[in-house]
């Protein structure tokens, strides 16, 4: 593996009040957690919680957390699944969320979002931002620190996670899903083989149909959408820390996109790290044993930038 490391981040802590969930709710969560043997018995999964309703369409997520609530507020991460913006399920990152919940006491929120067949961009990004706002809205209930909320995704979910990070503070993408009184800003991003330069994909003739469906047109028809959705064009000194994990045999999205992001972030003095995995193709990270190998790389990054170790 080839690792590229750069500068540290600033961590901000805050306190919130606490309201413990009912015992009935926790019993339902335990049954959900027992479905996957990879999930520790110390971790609970609350499945199919409604987090937003854009246009009256309910959106769901799974909350993944330690059953015993901590004395101090803890961080949270919103997990966004991949699938070329047109498929996939919120269960994709459940094991990774459970790992971080067990090892670091990070609350996970594994989300569904509107896919391209239902609604084109910016619907999916609006949904992801709504999920972050929802997490802040339940900070008291689950003892979450609203100033330590990150995002993680793979492939199309990696793209959306990067877009979340580069659009902090931009009202244009908030949508009408709910929880408008809360911020959708994130303070770190973990990105598995994400798409960061849409014009590189166009040049390589990769994901052409998927991009056309998601952006609502071809590069000739809506070039502004391809610019708008290229996170590498939107990096600033205020971009939060990012970790990139990518296989060097990815024929769908070149790992050079991740390395280009790291180079640009470094120029901006933004903390950035990349782990390049030899011989690994696209979307390798959810297979055994790679999901565990990669989450062990994610763990120290999350711990460092959340101030946990």
């Amino acid at each position: 593996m080839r690792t590229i490391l750069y500068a540290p981040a600033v961590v901000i802590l805050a306190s919130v009040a606490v309201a413990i969930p009912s015992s009935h709710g926790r019993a339902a969560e335990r049954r959900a957690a027992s479905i996957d043997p990879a999930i520790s018995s110390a971790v609970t999964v609350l499945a199919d919680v409604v987090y937003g309703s854009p246009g009256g369409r309910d959106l769901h997520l799974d909350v993944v957390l330690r059953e015993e609530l901590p004395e101090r507020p803890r961080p949270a991460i919103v997990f966004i699944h991949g699938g070329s913006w047109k498929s996939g399920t919120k269960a994709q990152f459940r094991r990774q969320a459970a790992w971080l919940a067990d090892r670091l006491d990070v609350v996970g929120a594994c989300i569904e979002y509107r896919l391209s067949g239902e609604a084109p961009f910016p619907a999916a990004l609006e949904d992801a931002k709504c999920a972050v706002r929802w997490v802040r809205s339940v900070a008291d209930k689950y003892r979450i620190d609203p100033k330590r909320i990150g995002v993680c995704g793979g492939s199309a979910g990696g793209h959306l996670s990067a877009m979340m990070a580069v659009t902090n503070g931009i009202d244009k993408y908030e949508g009408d899903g709910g929880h408008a009184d809360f911020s959708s800003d994130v303070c770190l991003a973990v990105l598995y083989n994400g798409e960061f330069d849409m014009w590189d994909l166009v040049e390589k003739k990769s994901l052409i149909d998927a991009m056309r469906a998601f952006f609502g047109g071809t590069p000739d028809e809506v070039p502004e959408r391809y610019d708008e959705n290229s996170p590498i064009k939107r990096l600033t000194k205020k971009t939060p820390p990012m970790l990139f994990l990518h296989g060097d045999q990815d024929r769908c999205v070149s790992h050079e996109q991740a390395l280009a992001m790291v180079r640009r972030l470094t120029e901006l003095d933004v903390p950035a790290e990349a782990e390049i995995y030899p011989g690994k193709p696209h979307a390798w990270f959810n297979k055994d044993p790679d999901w565990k190998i990669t989450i062990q790389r994610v763990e120290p990054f999350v711990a460092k930038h959340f101030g946990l170790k």
Side-chain angles (χ1 to χ4, degrees):
M1 290 178 285
R2 178 155 49 113
T3 306
I4 301 173
L5 305 175
Y6 292 96
V10 176
V11 177
I12 304 173
L13 305 178
S15 296
V16 293
V18 173
I20 297 176
S22 70
S23 59
H24 173 77
R26 288 209 301 273
E29 293 168 13
R30 273 195 295 275
R31 288 195 295 274
S34 67
I35 295 172
D36 190 336
I39 296 179
S40 164
S41 60
V43 174
T44 294
V45 177
L46 174 58
D48 295 322
V49 176
V50 174
Y51 74 83
S53 300
R57 195 276 210 210
D58 285 350
L59 296 168
H60 303 84
L61 56 75
D62 297 341
V63 182
V64 183
L65 74 171
R66 284 188 191 173
E67 185 171 355
E68 183 177 353
L69 298 184
E71 293 182 3
R72 296 181 60 201
R74 53 192 170 180
I77 293 178
V78 171
F79 291 85
I80 309 176
H81 70 79
S84 300
W85 307 283
K86 63 182 179 180
S87 63
T89 74
K90 58 184 169 58
Q92 185 179 82
F93 279 101
R94 183 179 287 174
R95 290 181 296 181
Q96 290 91 337
W99 179 281
L100 295 178
D102 184 38
R103 304 270 296 192
L104 298 178
D105 199 11
V106 172
V107 177
C110 301
I111 73 168
E112 68 173 358
Y113 54 90
R114 286 171 292 173
L115 302 172
S116 60
E118 179 179 356
F121 179 85
L125 180 57
E126 292 174 351
D127 296 345
K129 285 180 174 286
C130 179
V132 172
R133 296 197 304 270
W134 177 88
V135 170
R136 286 196 168 91
S137 78
V138 297
D140 288 358
K141 181 177 183 179
Y142 294 112
R143 207 168 295 177
I144 294 169
D145 182 346
K147 293 185 179 179
R148 291 188 292 167
I149 298 176
V151 65
C152 173
S155 190
H159 167 258
L160 291 170
S161 295
M163 287 293 291
M164 291 278 289
V166 300
T167 58
N168 278 348
I170 298 178
D171 293 339
K172 176 181 179 180
Y173 304 111
E174 292 298 326
D176 62 354
H179 319 292
D181 292 339
F182 297 89
S183 170
S184 66
D185 286 2
V186 295
C187 66
L188 64 80
V190 176
L191 310 160
Y192 290 84
N193 55 247
E195 299 89 348
F196 311 119
D197 185 342
M198 298 304 153
W199 293 106
D200 179 64
L201 296 176
V202 171
E203 181 180 342
K204 291 180 169 63
K205 297 181 171 56
S206 181
L207 295 174
I208 297 300
D209 290 340
M211 288 192 292
R212 182 190 301 119
F214 185 54
F215 301 146
T218 67
D220 291 333
E221 293 167 340
V222 288
E224 68 281 0
R225 280 288 171 91
Y226 290 73
D227 285 330
E228 183 180 8
N229 275 279
S230 293
I232 196 165
K233 294 179 177 289
R234 308 188 68 151
L235 299 176
T236 72
K237 290 182 177 294
K238 294 183 178 180
T239 301
M242 291 184 167
L243 169 63
F244 301 87
L245 305 100
H246 218 116
D248 71 354
Q249 296 303 305
D250 189 338
R251 303 308 182 200
C252 183
V253 184
S254 171
H255 70 284
E256 292 294 338
Q257 288 203 19
L259 296 179
M261 288 282 282
V262 171
R263 287 192 293 270
R264 179 58 182 146
L265 287 164
T266 303
E267 292 171 357
L268 294 167
D269 294 322
V270 175
E273 303 178 19
E275 196 77 45
I276 306 302
Y277 293 81
K280 297 301 180 181
H282 192 70
W284 89 105
F285 58 87
N286 273 313
K287 300 174 182 177
D288 288 316
D290 293 316
W291 79 267
K292 188 174 291 187
I293 292 170
T294 53
I295 197 62
Q296 288 174 356
R297 177 63 179 85
V298 171
E299 181 182 340
F301 175 85
V302 168
K304 178 173 69 173
H305 292 293
F306 277 156
L308 299 174
K309 290 184 180 179

